[in-house]
Amino acid sequence: AISLTKHSFPLKAGAGGRFRQGGDMNRILSIVVATFVALAGLSVLFGTWYTIDQGVRGVILRNGALIGVAQPGLGFKLPLIDTIQKVSVQTHVETFDNMHTYSKDQQPALLKLSVNYRVPPEKVADLYTQYGSIEGALARSTATLRHGSDHRPWALGRPAT
């Protein structure tokens, strides 16, 4: 027995932080493994289906390669291999405030411009292949409106030279 001041602690086999004959260690290890397997199983189970809302289409990617477009409803995929990128096919509005431009007679004008756009459902795969997303297509197609362009001087209202 160990005696510290007023208390004495009897020594037992396996005391001092050691495990008895590996029995406790095996039980802890089996609990950790079972927990890991259960979490992995749940991840695979819940990762096998997806839903696409009306007004949205899903781009199905297998290891990054486009393999199809998912229609609205419930769909199934291979977990950890397939991913779904959602693309809206509803009408959206992009507004540009304080657009500097010139009239036909070269008078400066400050405009507010609104652009309505939508992706046709049959063109979702083309949009994803070329631009990656609606945001990518919008950024590329409206860059001239936002910043102007040297190779298109008419976009800034200057005559071409």
Side-chain angles (χ1 to χ4, degrees), residues 106-126:
Q106 299 299 316
Q107 296 297 316
L110 192 60
L111 301 175
K112 180 177 182 177
L113 179 67
S114 293
V115 178
N116 294 331
Y117 65 94
R118 74 176 191 87
V119 178
E122 64 275 2
K123 298 290 186 181
V124 168
D126 296 336

Side-chain angles (χ1 to χ4, degrees), residues 4-137:
L4 298 173
T5 61
K6 297 181 183 177
H7 303 288
S8 74
F9 301 99
L11 290 175
K12 294 182 181 176
R18 295 188 189 115
F19 295 105
R20 283 180 261 139
Q21 301 294 330
D24 288 343
M25 182 64 144
N26 288 339
R27 190 168 58 183
I28 290 173
L29 184 61
S30 65
I31 290 172
V32 169
V33 169
T35 302
F36 178 76
V37 168
L39 290 176
L42 288 174
S43 173
V44 167
L45 178 67
F46 289 115
T48 58
W49 71 78
Y50 59 90
T51 57
I52 302 294
D53 295 329
Q54 196 67 34
V56 177
R57 297 299 180 268
V59 176
I60 305 170
L61 303 172
R62 178 162 294 153
N63 294 326
L66 188 137
I67 61 167
V69 176
Q71 300 300 316
L74 181 65
F76 296 95
K77 65 183 180 84
L78 298 173
L80 306 175
I81 296 174
D82 291 347
T83 57
I84 309 298
Q85 297 292 323
K86 294 182 179 179
V87 176
S88 175
V89 292
Q90 296 177 335
T91 301
H92 299 275
V93 177
E94 183 75 19
T95 303
F96 303 93
D97 293 324
N98 300 325
M99 294 292 302
H100 296 278
T101 188
Y102 296 93
S103 65
K104 184 177 180 179
D105 60 347
Q106 299 299 316
Q107 296 297 316
L110 192 60
L111 301 175
K112 180 177 182 177
L113 179 67
S114 293
V115 178
N116 294 331
Y117 65 94
R118 74 176 191 87
V119 178
E122 64 275 2
K123 298 290 186 181
V124 168
D126 296 336
L127 174 106
Y128 190 83
T129 301
Q130 292 179 4
Y131 302 104
S133 66
I134 289 179
E135 292 78 19

